Amino acid sequence: MNNSNLIFDRSFVDGKWIAIGASKFDIVNPANGQKIKSVNDGGVAISEKAIGVAFEAFQGWKKTTAKFRATLLEKWHNLILDNTEGLAEIMTLECGKPLKESKGEVSYGAAFVKWFAEEGKRTYGDVIPPHTENRRLVVIKQAVGVVGAITPWNFPLAMITRKVAPALAAGCTVVLRPAEETPLTALAIAHLASIAGFPPGVFNVIIGKDASAMGKVLCESEKVKKISFTGSTRVGHLLMSQSASTLKKLSLELGGNAPFIVFEDANIDMAVEGTIVSKFRNSGQTCVCVNRVIVHEKIYEKFSQKLKKAISKLKVGNGMEEEVNIGPLINKDALKKVNDFVEDAILKGGEVLLGGKRIGECFFEPTLISNANLEMNFSKEEIFGPIIPLYKFSNDEEAIKMANNTVYGLASYFFSENVTRCWRVAEALEYGMVGINEGLISTELAPFGGIKFSGQGREGSKYGMDDYLDIKYMCFGNII
Ligand code: ADP
């Protein structure tokens, strides 16, 4: 193991490891149910303390230069990469994803830190040609203040750096509450941030089991100026209403229901490969995973047979084992939800072409279901598990209508070799992101985010800074 120097068991606030009270809770390995570590439950008390500390730290941090902040972010980036093995092991232990995916997440997550180190130096303002001779109009951008970040368990590292790096680069300070399932990765990267030299109080990580009480404190505090959340649409709604009294800025990365359309002129082998990569990452537990595969009737049979063959090659098991492609689901509730989806689909006429069953207490077989229809529960809900439902269509309008027939609007995908169709369909899809002949679209260089019930705001890219900056207009008068 390469991680013993990276494991911590309490909150990181004001540059110190802090336990409040004696209450603890266990972090368990979803692949076998075994305890990894007990951590201190800081609850509301640590949340309030961290907010006060971050507010004080902001008064100094906001005055530092972007260039100085970039040097610290660069060091943090390098330290994260230097600790790839240890961080990846912690991630696989606490969230179950295969080790090679965890290593991929370390470099993906670190890339946001490097990107925003650079981008922070480019938060340019404007000089506006004035409307009268004696005035000069200038626009600058300033850090919004203390940011409350709330992150999920499915990307224990990258969902944090996507928020914390632009916030710190902009001159904000941060109170982060990672998911109670995966706090160890968060604490490990906080430790690395402290080695990189971020001053005490600039980046705080609060650990506790009671998500709703801790979230409420963050939302209702007047000292917190912004909430950045990744998680379910249900909790997104709640955070938005809780933030109303303080009129907070909000960035919300919520659920998805990604369609994946395969047109009759698609390269079928590429489409099969695209389906596999975008469906089975993290055992299907990502918000951009394909939820509905919508296939033209002329190629439906051929595509489904090729897809079945490709899925049957995937190996399920403990993510620490080499060659495993699909790890456990995060917990028993997740397993039950996925199993319920399959039972519901069978009752409503679905045909299981492959898989469809649990394996022991922690795993679920990669599953292919034919004859899917809009009555089935997974047509409306996010699956978050290794199931692919196959739907059939006969013309473009029908495919677009089916794809848009959801409250969600995060990622969408389609395969076609016809450039006119590609433009037309990409423009017609009501989604924040479209993969065209591509199943893996996420990169720190491009804006990640959704519309409709999938949220608001963008992470990564030049747009990812905007969520952490206020625009200030300055009007200079009497210039003669
Ligand atoms: P998921 O299905 O990914 O677990 P959730 O929205 O339930 O989605 O959780 C995402 C993050 O939000 C986790 O860190 C979780 O602990 C946290 N969370 C859950 N409920 C609340 C809440 N009421 N207020 C604040 N955070 C919450």
Side-chain angles (χ1 to χ4, degrees):
M1 288 306 223
N2 303 295
N3 61 33
S4 51
N5 59 335
L6 291 173
I7 299 258
F8 300 91
D9 66 353
R10 57 198 64 195
S11 299
F12 184 74
V13 173
D14 204 13
K16 299 187 270 287
W17 299 101
I18 298 183
I20 290 199
S23 176
K24 290 185 162 202
F25 64 99
D26 292 343
I27 312 306
V28 295
N29 181 343
N32 53 26
Q34 284 171 10
K35 179 170 110 178
I36 307 167
K37 187 87 187 160
S38 261
V39 293
N40 178 256
D41 187 347
V44 165
I46 198 73
S47 314
E48 285 167 347
K49 181 174 172 65
I51 290 169
V53 161
F55 187 76
E56 288 306 315
F58 177 62
Q59 311 315 320
W61 182 245
K62 69 180 176 187
K63 293 186 188 140
T64 59
T65 64
K67 190 168 175 179
F68 171 69
R69 297 192 293 267
T71 59
L72 300 189
L73 285 161
E74 290 277 1
K75 281 187 197 156
W76 191 30
H77 164 259
N78 294 340
L79 283 163
I80 292 174
L81 287 184
D82 289 347
N83 286 278
T84 297
E85 300 286 328
L87 290 169
E89 281 170 10
I90 294 174
M91 248 191 282
T92 292
L93 286 174
E94 64 180 353
C95 86
K97 70 174 62 176
L99 200 54
K100 52 182 178 261
E101 280 189 36
S102 294
K103 287 183 190 160
E105 185 178 337
V106 175
S107 61
Y108 172 65
F112 286 93
V113 181
K114 185 163 178 59
W115 171 262
F116 284 112
E118 293 158 356
E119 206 56 20
K121 292 182 278 189
R122 300 188 191 109
T123 54
Y124 303 125
D126 274 313
V127 180
I128 299 174
H131 53 305
T132 64
E133 283 176 9
N134 64 347
R135 291 195 182 123
R136 299 293 180 271
L137 316 181
V138 178
V139 172
I140 62 167
K141 293 182 183 171
Q142 292 182 303
V144 297
V146 177
V147 172
I150 301 176
T151 52
W153 48 264
N154 62 343
F155 287 92
L157 191 149
M159 294 304 110
I160 294 174
T161 54
R162 289 213 296 203
K163 300 176 188 313
V164 174
L168 298 181
C172 300
T173 55
V174 177
V175 177
L176 163 74
R177 184 195 175 276
E180 58 272 27
E181 293 88 349
T182 57
L184 300 177
T185 306
L187 293 172
I189 60 171
H191 166 66
L192 298 177
S194 129
I195 297 177
F198 287 98
V202 165
F203 177 31
N204 308 279
V205 181
I206 53 174
I207 304 301
K209 195 145 177 66
D210 191 343
S212 84
M214 294 170 82
K216 195 158 185 285
V217 172
L218 287 171
C219 289
E220 292 181 352
S221 166
E222 288 189 14
K223 288 183 173 160
V224 177
K225 293 291 180 273
K226 178 187 174 79
I227 294 287
S228 180
F229 170 71
T230 299
S232 64
T233 297
R234 180 187 68 81
V235 174
H237 273 131
L238 183 74
L239 298 182
M240 191 176 231
S241 66
Q242 279 177 180
S243 297
S245 63
T246 51
L247 281 179
K248 275 191 198 9
K249 279 173 173 274
L250 287 164
S251 291
L252 302 171
E253 295 288 356
L254 308 178
N257 180 352
F260 188 110
I261 310 172
V262 189
F263 288 98
E264 70 267 36
D265 60 6
N267 176 322
I268 293 186
D269 291 328
M270 265 173 52
V272 167
E273 204 180 308
T275 313
I276 298 279
V277 295
S278 81
K279 176 72 223 185
F280 292 111
R281 218 151 44 108
N282 205 7
S283 309
Q285 301 173 111
T286 90
C287 50
V288 292
C289 277
V290 172
N291 217 61
R292 297 167 290 148
V293 178
I294 303 169
V295 189
H296 193 274
E297 58 189 7
K298 276 197 194 143
I299 54 160
Y300 186 89
E301 206 43 49
K302 191 169 174 194
F303 176 81
S304 53
Q305 287 314 316
K306 287 199 168 198
L307 184 59
K308 180 177 166 183
K309 197 166 162 208
I311 298 173
S312 64
K313 292 188 186 141
L314 299 173
K315 183 163 186 269
V316 182
N318 186 325
M320 290 301 239
E321 289 165 20
E322 284 281 320
E323 305 308 321
V324 161
N325 310 99
I326 302 200
L329 295 188
I330 188 70
N331 55 32
K332 296 208 162 39
D333 287 349
L335 213 60
K336 178 176 178 334
K337 193 175 158 210
V338 169
N339 197 56
D340 288 351
F341 277 135
V342 175
E343 286 179 2
D344 167 76
I346 293 170
L347 277 179
K348 293 172 181 166
E351 185 193 343
V352 178
L353 298 184
L354 193 70
K357 293 190 291 298
R358 296 165 196 248
I359 311 171
E361 296 282 298
C362 308
F363 302 89
F364 202 87
E365 291 176 334
T367 297
L368 185 61
I369 296 183
S370 189
N371 289 336
N373 63 54
L374 299 181
E375 296 309 308
M376 296 174 183
N377 290 341
F378 52 44
S379 301
K380 292 157 257 175
E381 293 173 43
E382 193 171 32
I383 297 174
F384 244 60
I387 305 175
I388 298 182
L390 290 173
Y391 302 75
K392 210 179 269 180
F393 75 92
S394 52
N395 62 60
D396 288 21
E397 284 61 41
E398 189 191 1
I400 292 166
K401 202 168 158 203
M402 282 169 83
N404 287 339
N405 184 16
T406 168
V407 293
Y408 295 104
L410 192 59
S412 56
Y413 310 86
F414 68 88
F415 277 66
S416 163
E417 297 285 286
N418 176 325
V419 72
T420 311
R421 173 178 275 146
C422 286
W423 270 105
R424 199 178 56 239
V425 175
E427 288 179 357
L429 288 172
E430 294 163 0
Y431 287 84
M433 297 175 282
V434 187
I436 302 149
N437 295 320
E438 181 56 62
L440 264 190
I441 56 177
S442 206
T443 157
E444 80 280 8
L445 309 172
F448 186 104
I451 58 173
K452 296 162 74 180
F453 276 32
S454 293
Q456 57 191 39
R458 291 295 179 268
E459 293 189 328
S461 81
K462 64 174 182 175
Y463 308 101
M465 288 297 300
D466 296 344
D467 286 20
Y468 300 92
L469 292 166
D470 284 326
I471 285 176
K472 181 177 281 176
Y473 156 51
M474 300 188 294
C475 177
F476 291 79
N478 196 30
I479 311 276
I480 39 176

